[in-house]
Amino acid sequence: MAEKISDETPNPEKINDESPNPEKINDESPNPLAPSNDEESITAHSKDQNRKKQMKCLLYVILFTVFQTGIILIFVLIFMRMTNPKFRVRSGSFIDAFNVGTEASPSFDLRMNTQFTVKNTNFGHFKYKDGTVTFAYKGIPVGNAMIEKGRVGARSTKKVDVVVKLRSNGLLLNTRENELGSDISSGVLPLTSSIKLKGKIHLMEVIKKKKYAQMNCSMEIDINSRTLGNIICK
């Protein structure tokens, strides 16, 4: 018995419709060469982070430079600004005999226990050499005080006690003798003292700068009370 041939013949249009469309496949498939939105976002974020880090580093460098410059300026203006120490007569008291003549026979022979001060306002200590304080009556020397070398700490004051002999021997050969008689009669002997004490300021044992402690003082000896007063120093 002959097989029955199917009347259904394949439809070429249907076959064509069911076959895959190459253009459609190409449109739907992702392009592996094109970056995705996530990758672009990560790259932009990374660049932004690097830029921020660079700005922070630059800011830190600027701040450190400004800070260091400020420290140097403070060091130069405060620590490196060295001034001359001050040497002064602080007080005086008379010991032993207090010999003062009269208006008709003017003279004096005194021993005075004198206290000096060396004031150092610098941030480094002051080392000074030996020096001599000269006491004078109206410009004529009447006594000397030897100051031995020493050291004054940074921003401190040192006291120095010295016995000074004050004698009018040099005035007897000078026209000041008449003035001395008048001052003795008034009960007040005016004196002056001066010195230039040479030394160096030592800062951290690295920087050394020559300085000196200069003194110009005026004072009065009260003959009646035997005291030293009215001390004025420049």
Side-chain angles (χ1 to χ4, degrees):
M1 183 176 179
E3 293 182 357
K4 185 180 181 180
I5 301 173
S6 174
D7 292 337
E8 296 180 359
T9 58
N11 189 348
E13 293 181 359
K14 187 176 182 181
I15 295 172
N16 293 334
D17 291 339
E18 294 178 354
S19 61
N21 188 348
E23 294 181 358
K24 187 176 181 181
I25 294 173
N26 291 336
D27 291 341
E28 294 178 355
S29 63
N31 188 358
L33 299 178
S36 64
N37 292 334
D38 292 341
E39 292 177 348
E40 290 179 354
S41 177
I42 293 173
T43 303
H45 181 71
S46 178
K47 289 182 179 180
D48 186 59
Q49 290 294 325
N50 290 335
R51 186 163 47 252
K52 288 182 178 180
K53 288 181 180 179
Q54 291 175 355
M55 292 298 294
K56 283 184 178 180
C57 290
L58 181 60
L59 180 61
Y60 290 152
V61 170
I62 293 173
L63 290 176
F64 178 75
T65 303
V66 172
F67 176 77
Q68 194 174 36
T69 303
I71 293 297
I72 293 173
L73 287 176
I74 292 173
F75 183 81
V76 171
L77 294 177
I78 298 179
F79 294 93
M80 293 292 292
R81 186 181 178 184
M82 300 180 187
T83 58
N84 288 322
K86 297 178 181 180
F87 194 93
R88 298 288 185 262
V89 175
R90 180 182 176 87
S91 62
S93 59
F94 297 94
I95 55 179
D96 301 333
F98 187 90
N99 300 318
V100 179
T102 62
E103 182 178 4
S105 180
S107 64
F108 59 82
D109 187 353
L110 313 172
R111 281 169 56 88
M112 182 172 64
N113 187 10
T114 313
Q115 185 176 89
F116 302 94
T117 58
V118 186
K119 185 177 180 180
N120 178 28
T121 59
N122 297 288
F123 285 90
H125 62 267
F126 176 57
K127 285 185 177 181
Y128 56 88
K129 300 178 181 179
D130 295 339
T132 303
V133 178
T134 300
F135 286 84
Y137 171 81
K138 296 186 177 181
I140 301 174
V142 293
N144 295 318
M146 299 300 298
I147 306 298
E148 297 182 353
K149 63 180 180 180
R151 178 183 183 276
V152 187
R155 302 186 65 81
S156 62
T157 301
K158 180 180 180 180
K159 297 178 182 178
V160 181
D161 294 319
V162 180
V163 175
V164 185
K165 293 182 179 181
L166 302 173
R167 294 176 179 174
S168 60
N169 295 343
L171 301 176
L172 300 178
L173 303 177
N174 196 283
T175 56
R176 298 295 185 190
E177 183 178 359
N178 294 332
E179 296 181 15
L180 176 60
S182 177
D183 288 333
I184 290 175
S185 177
S186 68
V188 176
L189 287 176
L191 296 177
T192 59
S193 63
S194 61
I195 188 177
K196 189 173 183 179
L197 199 63
K198 297 181 180 180
K200 290 182 180 181
I201 301 293
H202 295 247
L203 186 60
M204 297 184 295
E205 299 299 337
V206 176
I207 301 172
K208 299 178 182 180
K209 191 170 184 179
K210 290 183 179 180
K211 289 293 179 180
Y212 57 88
Q214 189 169 0
M215 175 187 68
N216 287 294
C217 295
S218 62
M219 63 207 76
E220 293 177 347
I221 298 176
D222 190 316
I223 297 175
N224 297 324
S225 62
R226 299 186 177 186
T227 58
L228 182 70
N230 197 21
I231 302 173
I232 301 174
C233 295
K234 298 179 180 179

